[in-house]
Amino acid sequence: MSEKLQAIRGMNDILPTQIAHWQRLEATAQRLLNGYGFGEIRLPLIEKTELFARSIGAATDIVEKEMYTFDDRNGDSLSLRPEGTASVVRAGIQQGLLHNTICKFWYSGPMFRHERPQKGRYRQFHQIGAECFGLAGPAIDAELILFTAQLWQELGLQGLELQINSLGDRQSRINFKAALVEYLQDYRDQLDADSLRRLETNPLRILDSKNAQTQSLLIKAPSLLDYIDTESRDHFETLKSLLDQQQLLYRVNDRLVRGLDYYNRTVFEWITTELGAQGTVCAGGRYDGLVEQLGGRATPAVGFAMGEERLVELLLQVGEAPKPTHLTFIGFDDQALPTLLKLAQQCRHQLLDHRIEIDYQGGNMGKKLNRANKTGVDIVVIIGGDELAEQTATVKFLREKRPQTTISQSQLVEFLET
Ligand code: ATP
Ligand code: MG
């Protein structure tokens, strides 16, 4: 026998048995996002590599080592998208959507990063994200954060911690980087290899290190918040007071930076302790320089992306997703088929939130009933010989304590609705 083909490591099949939480997450997010005035945008999965290099930053993990990059048949360098923001900005500029106006977009779909697969970290994963262009003030930052808080509430997710920080403007980050590098120079011999490299290429990312020894070195390191410019400080203070007024709890974490270069001012993450090392379920912030950096006119912007795999994992911990009422039609033999189909179609047109099927498999009525029981069916509609002759249907409730009832076929839908 030839060897069985396998999916690529870190890329998962999501089966119908697992899909309920995904659908609930996506439907709830979609409903809320539309309600907050965001419009859905659907973008290509593949873009020119240059787009990501110019936006995410050449000295980031993503661009340095995580992208799926290849030459197409014309010799152009293309990459599977590792995130959504760059494409949203590219599309906004290309379609001329961002001039002198406020634009709010959301997107969802697969992203690709060649990381080491582990729980909560995959090579194809899914994000739902939102971006708002044209507003510089902190109120929209607060609104995006409030949106995410409402989403957790609607989904019944508790115990997520909101962390916020401000990265200041470009100059404040340059000043801070210099101070951080100077501080860390004295500890070069204690830094891990990754951090040593970043000391030259992207020192801010050292704050993000998952290495425990590096983290302990950072306890006494300079704090970003001591270096931010006055306007960014005001922006951050207003954001905090807006969140306070909405009674939304947060923790200021002056070590919070994002893995992508394009952020300034507000950054935030929602973190859970329930998922082990991969605890960030949503991350976002402000990126006022990116539109100009990619060739558009200077436009303030803020957004976030959440990781669907991690949120689904949390939803699984909360409990089973509600299932629709499952109805099966069974007939005594093939003579009953036209009636089964007719009645099932009537029900399918009226009972839109039910799962309605016909048992086409063989066996006597006892066997068919058994099968229904085993597969979790809630209600069986039986068309036996008598029912066929008398144009009736027998309804049997497998989960509820309701008596088996024989009614006229013309009353079936109405009976099942109650
Ligand atoms: P991390 O520090 O966990 O690598 P990140 O900073 O690379 O995260 P972002 O680029 O901000 O992550 O992506 C936003 C969210 O997408 C993350 O908070 C996480 O929930 C999810 N995410 C990112 N990378 C992966 C992945 N490889 N597998 C599953 N989910 C992911
Ligand atoms: Mg990452």
Side-chain angles (χ1 to χ4, degrees), residues 113 115 120-122 125 127 210 258 280-281 283 305 307 310:
R113 297 183 194 176
E115 304 197 66
R121 193 176 291 289
Y122 309 99
F125 61 99
Q127 288 184 336
K210 310 247 168 9
R258 307 283 321 120
T280 301
V281 296
R310 296 180 193 179

Side-chain angles (χ1 to χ4, degrees), residues 283-336:
R286 189 160 271 287
Y287 50 96
D288 295 331
L290 183 60
V291 177
E292 195 175 18
Q293 192 178 312
L294 290 179
R297 263 185 248 165
T299 307
V302 56
F304 64 79
M306 45 202 167
E308 291 194 65
E309 279 75 5
R310 296 180 193 179
L311 286 167
V312 164
E313 194 61 35
L314 281 184
L315 288 170
L316 277 166
Q317 292 182 8
V318 174
E320 259 183 59
K323 286 202 185 84
T325 303
H326 187 180
L327 196 80
T328 287
F329 284 81
I330 62 180
F332 70 106
D333 72 7
D334 283 356
Q335 272 185 62

Side-chain angles (χ1 to χ4, degrees), residues 17-279:
T17 47
Q18 309 163 331
I19 207 71
H21 287 301
W22 287 86
Q23 290 182 340
R24 190 161 83 89
L25 168 61
E26 287 167 7
T28 310
Q30 170 169 349
R31 177 168 53 76
L32 277 185
L33 282 161
N34 290 334
Y36 275 69
F38 290 81
E40 186 184 7
I41 184 164
R42 297 194 183 185
L43 299 161
L45 298 191
I46 302 176
E47 300 267 5
K48 290 187 183 146
T49 303
E50 187 195 348
L51 171 65
F52 303 117
R54 270 174 62 188
S55 57
I56 297 169
T60 56
D61 283 353
I62 294 181
V63 172
E64 268 182 349
K65 54 186 188 196
E66 294 176 357
M67 281 211 297
Y68 283 87
T69 297
F70 58 96
D71 284 351
D72 77 356
R73 289 171 196 275
N74 306 325
D76 295 327
S77 179
L78 307 181
S79 295
L80 297 185
R81 63 180 188 191
E83 54 106 51
T85 304
S87 307
V88 176
V89 173
R90 195 266 310 136
I93 297 171
Q94 182 180 342
Q95 312 291 341
L97 304 174
L98 307 179
H99 302 312
N100 296 324
T101 177
I102 291 153
C103 267
K104 297 198 273 183
F105 301 112
W106 69 269
Y107 61 83
S108 71
M111 307 294 161
F112 304 86
R113 297 183 194 176
H114 195 273
E115 304 197 66
R116 192 169 68 79
Q118 54 197 291
K119 185 167 178 266
R121 193 176 291 289
Y122 309 99
R123 290 182 172 172
Q124 174 172 331
F125 61 99
H126 298 78
Q127 288 184 336
I128 301 173
E131 320 285 355
C132 177
F133 299 92
L135 291 169
I140 187 68
D141 307 25
E143 192 175 301
L144 286 182
I145 292 172
L146 289 168
F147 163 85
T148 49
Q150 187 180 353
L151 181 60
W152 315 146
Q153 194 188 345
E154 300 273 332
L155 292 169
L157 296 180
Q158 286 170 349
L160 289 166
E161 183 186 58
L162 172 63
Q163 297 190 358
I164 60 174
N165 193 20
S166 176
L167 303 178
D169 64 6
R170 239 178 73 83
Q171 190 56 47
S172 35
R173 276 194 316 264
I174 292 173
N175 299 345
F176 172 71
K177 270 184 207 172
L180 182 67
V181 170
E182 192 184 307
Y183 168 82
L184 287 173
Q185 288 302 350
D186 295 345
Y187 303 98
R188 286 188 78 96
D189 53 333
Q190 296 174 49
L191 285 173
D192 60 279
D194 244 7
S195 297
L196 262 181
R197 197 169 44 80
R198 284 178 178 150
L199 205 54
E200 317 297 334
T201 58
N202 193 352
L204 265 189
R205 288 303 316 268
I206 299 175
L207 296 185
D208 218 15
S209 166
K210 310 247 168 9
N211 182 300
Q213 195 188 357
T214 303
Q215 275 303 330
S216 70
L217 287 179
L218 288 170
I219 293 173
K220 294 212 174 100
S223 165
L224 238 172
L225 290 175
D226 292 334
Y227 286 80
I228 65 174
D229 54 293
T230 319
E231 274 182 47
S232 296
R233 182 175 305 282
D234 289 347
H235 197 275
F236 193 49
E237 290 306 317
T238 311
L239 170 65
K240 286 192 292 181
S241 71
L242 287 169
L243 296 177
D244 291 337
Q245 282 150 19
Q246 298 302 314
Q247 281 153 15
L248 190 68
L249 295 178
Y250 56 84
R251 189 160 79 78
V252 175
N253 174 1
D254 67 356
R255 299 283 183 255
L256 188 68
V257 289
R258 307 283 321 120
L260 302 85
D261 270 358
Y262 53 60
Y263 286 101
N264 67 311
R265 293 199 172 159
T266 312
V267 287
F268 68 92
E269 286 193 4
W270 284 96
I271 299 170
T272 172
T273 52
E274 304 291 315
L275 296 177
Q278 267 54 252

